[in-house]
């Protein structure tokens, strides 16, 4: 037996590595190396869900109708409190996150189903980019922060080996996930850790704001607006990063279909939405041919027929902001994201569509 004790060495090294990894990535140390706040959108959703469940326990005749929005960064800035004043029959719970995708939506829809959580309406994002399996610039926030091991285990056949590797490695080793840099740690240690305290204050402020705005990021934190010339230039870059080549991710679409199937099974009203993008970017959707599994085609030629067929077969409402003449706010922070100035108009559009589904005579 003693002769084989050396076999325990790799396990011992692994355990020590994991211990050091968790030590170096404690919340206290994160203030010294972290350079992002986007992960807070994911962290805050657990509290948001608790708030939603408590609210839904109220007598339906005395509470407002609840709208849950599962979206991505294009919906992060919806001003929930402002919209609540303008549309007093509804309350919005914004479950949108950076890189929000159908697997993240399904993760929550399954939890809603398991817990018996029944909002009055659920809105699911249905954008082109989330169904591209082969983007040059892949977004992995959902894999890193948004899904549980149990969810991945149940749906593992729908992920590539690379995606599973990212999930396992970055959830196992948080230092690999966060990539702390020594120069930043040293910088934040200067002047009695002044910069670390600034970051800590920012984290607390954002978490407070996310709670107050029911999942939305305050618009005052994003003040940029691109000119038309900038939009044309950056649209080329974004198109090449996210849509060239374009390989339709059928597994991701199956997860979207699963979410909708669960909602229909539970008789929860729902719709899908294609959030508006800048016109130069949209024109590339329509005209720029790229490599696809079906040869040279535009992304629209691949994506739209699949979505339209599904909508027709299932009776799924599709709110197409990009081709709806009733929505015309044309300010953009970048090709794929509306300017903060447009989000009140965006919110009005959503609630106007809701009123078409729930006529005033049926609202409180």
């Amino acid at each position: 037996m003693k002769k084989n004790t050396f076999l325990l060495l790799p396990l011992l090294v692994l355990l020590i590595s994991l211990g050091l990894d968790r030590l170096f990535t404690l919340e206290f140390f994160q203030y010294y190396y972290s350079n992002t706040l986007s992960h807070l959108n994911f962290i805050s959703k657990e509290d948001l869900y608790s708030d939603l469940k408590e609210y839904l326990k109220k007598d339906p005749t005395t509470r407002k109708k609840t709208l849950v929005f599962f979206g991505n960064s294009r919906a992060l800035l919806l001003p929930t409190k402002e919209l609540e004043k303008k549309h007093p029959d509804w309350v919005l719970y914004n479950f949108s996150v950076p890189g929000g995708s159908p697997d993240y939506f399904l993760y929550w829809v399954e939890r809603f189903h398991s817990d018996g959580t029944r909002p009055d309406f659920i809105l699911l994002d249905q954008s082109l980019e989330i169904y591209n399996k082969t983007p040059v610039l892949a977004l992995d926030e959902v894999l890193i922060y948004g899904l549980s091991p149990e969810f991945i285990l149940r749906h593992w056949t729908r992920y590539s080996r690379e995606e599973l590797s990212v999930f396992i490695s970055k959830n196992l080793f948080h230092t690999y996930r966060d990539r702390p840099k020594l120069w930043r740690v040293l910088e934040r240690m200067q002047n009695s850790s002044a910069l670390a305290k600034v970051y800590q204050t920012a984290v607390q402020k954002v978490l407070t704001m996310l709670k107050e705005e029911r999942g939305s990021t305050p618009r005052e934190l994003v003040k940029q607006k691109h000119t038309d010339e900038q939009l044309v230039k950056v649209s080329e870059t974004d198109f090449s990063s996210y849509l060239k080549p374009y390989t339709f991710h059928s597994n991701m679409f199956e997860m979207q279909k699963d979410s909708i199937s669960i909602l229909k099974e539970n008789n929860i009203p729902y719709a899908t939405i294609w959030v508006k993008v800048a016109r130069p970017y949209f024109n590339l959707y329509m005209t720029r041919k790229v490599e696809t599994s079906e040869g040279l085609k535009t992304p629209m030629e691949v994506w739209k027929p699949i979505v339209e067929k599904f909508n027709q077969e299932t009776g799924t409402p599709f709110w197409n902001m990009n081709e709806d003449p009733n929505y015309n706010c044309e300010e953009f922070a970048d090709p794929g994201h509306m300017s903060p100035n447009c989000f009140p108009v965006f919110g009005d559009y959503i609630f106007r569509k809701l009123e078409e589904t729930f006529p005033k005579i049926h609202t409180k």
Side-chain angles (χ1 to χ4, degrees):
M1 186 68 179
K2 292 183 178 179
K3 293 180 179 179
N4 296 325
T5 54
F6 74 92
L7 296 175
L8 296 176
L9 184 59
L11 177 61
L12 181 61
V13 171
L14 176 62
L15 292 176
I16 292 174
S17 299
L18 285 172
L20 291 174
D21 176 85
R22 293 302 186 269
L23 175 64
F24 292 144
T25 55
L26 288 173
E27 184 178 4
F28 171 78
F29 291 113
Q30 289 179 27
Y31 300 140
Y32 287 86
Y33 67 77
S34 184
N35 200 39
T36 180
L37 298 171
S38 65
H39 65 292
L40 301 178
N41 288 282
F42 293 90
I43 294 172
S44 65
K45 293 301 181 283
E46 290 295 337
D47 287 339
L48 182 66
Y49 185 44
S50 296
D51 291 346
L52 172 63
K53 288 192 293 185
E54 284 301 312
Y55 188 77
L56 289 174
K57 290 178 181 178
K58 296 183 178 180
D59 186 338
T61 62
T62 61
R63 65 167 174 81
K64 299 180 180 182
K65 290 184 179 294
T66 53
L67 164 64
V68 170
F69 192 164
F70 291 115
N72 51 40
S73 56
R74 293 175 181 170
L76 284 178
L77 304 185
L78 283 166
T80 53
K81 293 294 183 66
E82 181 179 333
L83 291 170
E84 184 177 337
K85 293 177 182 178
K86 296 173 67 176
H87 306 277
D89 296 325
W90 288 89
V91 58
L92 168 63
Y93 286 81
N94 195 351
F95 276 75
S96 302
V97 292
S101 49
D103 50 349
Y104 184 71
F105 309 158
L106 179 59
Y107 167 73
W108 279 108
V109 169
E110 287 184 342
R111 287 186 63 177
F112 281 27
H113 175 67
S114 176
D115 297 344
T117 303
R118 295 177 54 85
D120 295 287
F121 199 90
I122 287 181
L123 191 57
L124 303 163
D125 186 82
Q126 191 82 301
S127 302
L128 275 79
E129 290 85 353
I130 60 175
Y131 295 117
N132 187 11
K133 192 175 183 179
T134 54
V136 172
L137 184 59
L139 301 177
D140 60 7
E141 288 104 325
V142 165
L143 274 175
I144 298 171
Y145 300 111
L147 305 175
S148 68
E150 292 79 11
F151 179 88
I152 293 291
L153 187 61
R154 280 186 284 108
H155 299 283
W156 71 272
T157 58
R158 290 172 164 175
Y159 292 96
S160 67
R161 284 179 294 180
E162 291 77 13
E163 288 169 328
L164 292 172
S165 176
V166 166
F167 177 82
I168 293 170
S169 59
K170 292 192 176 184
N171 278 274
L172 194 60
F173 291 101
H174 293 176
T175 47
Y176 176 57
R177 178 193 70 189
D178 299 340
R179 305 289 179 91
K181 294 179 172 56
L182 181 59
W183 66 265
R184 183 173 290 125
V185 173
L186 295 175
E187 181 180 70
R188 293 190 181 181
M189 289 177 65
Q190 296 176 7
N191 302 320
S192 301
S193 302
L195 291 178
K197 292 174 183 177
V198 169
Y199 179 78
Q200 180 179 9
T201 300
V203 167
Q204 294 168 346
K205 180 181 179 180
V206 170
L207 286 174
T208 299
M209 289 179 170
L210 286 169
K211 183 175 180 61
E212 292 176 350
E213 288 290 337
R214 296 193 186 92
S216 288
T217 301
R219 287 182 293 142
E220 57 265 26
L221 297 182
V222 183
K223 298 182 178 180
Q224 64 193 72
K225 172 188 169 184
H226 272 22
T227 64
D228 291 344
E229 292 77 12
Q230 288 173 318
L231 287 174
V232 170
K233 182 178 180 180
V234 182
S235 292
E236 291 283 348
T237 302
D238 282 8
F239 186 87
S240 296
S241 297
Y242 301 115
L243 294 165
K244 181 181 179 182
Y246 192 79
T247 306
F248 191 78
H249 203 323
S250 57
N251 285 336
M252 198 61 67
F253 194 60
E254 288 298 318
M255 286 195 263
Q256 185 85 324
K257 290 163 67 175
D258 283 353
S259 289
I260 289 171
S261 177
I262 293 171
L263 297 179
K264 291 173 80 70
E265 177 186 340
N266 287 274
N267 295 315
I268 298 176
Y270 71 94
T272 57
I273 187 169
W274 183 20
V275 179
K276 191 166 188 176
V277 298
R279 293 303 84 181
Y281 192 37
F282 178 76
N283 291 336
L284 291 176
Y285 286 172
M286 300 286 290
T287 61
R288 182 66 57 83
K289 292 185 181 294
V290 298
E291 290 289 344
T292 76
S293 57
E294 304 169 13
L296 284 176
K297 285 189 174 183
T298 67
M300 282 284 283
E301 289 176 316
V302 176
W303 169 84
K304 197 170 186 180
I306 297 172
V307 171
E308 287 182 337
K309 180 181 178 183
F310 173 75
N311 293 342
Q312 184 176 14
E313 291 176 346
T314 60
T316 293
F318 181 49
W319 298 354
N320 183 351
M321 294 178 69
N322 283 285
E323 297 175 304
D324 191 335
N326 294 319
Y327 184 85
N328 52 21
C329 193
E330 295 293 341
E331 293 185 18
F332 289 88
D334 61 49
H337 298 84
M338 286 180 278
S339 160
N341 296 331
C342 281
F343 276 84
V345 186
F346 179 13
D348 288 340
Y349 175 87
I350 290 172
F351 286 104
R352 187 167 64 249
K353 299 293 286 187
L354 278 173
E355 287 171 5
E356 295 173 5
T357 306
F358 295 89
K360 279 292 184 181
I361 57 172
H362 292 148
T363 56
K364 294 179 274 295

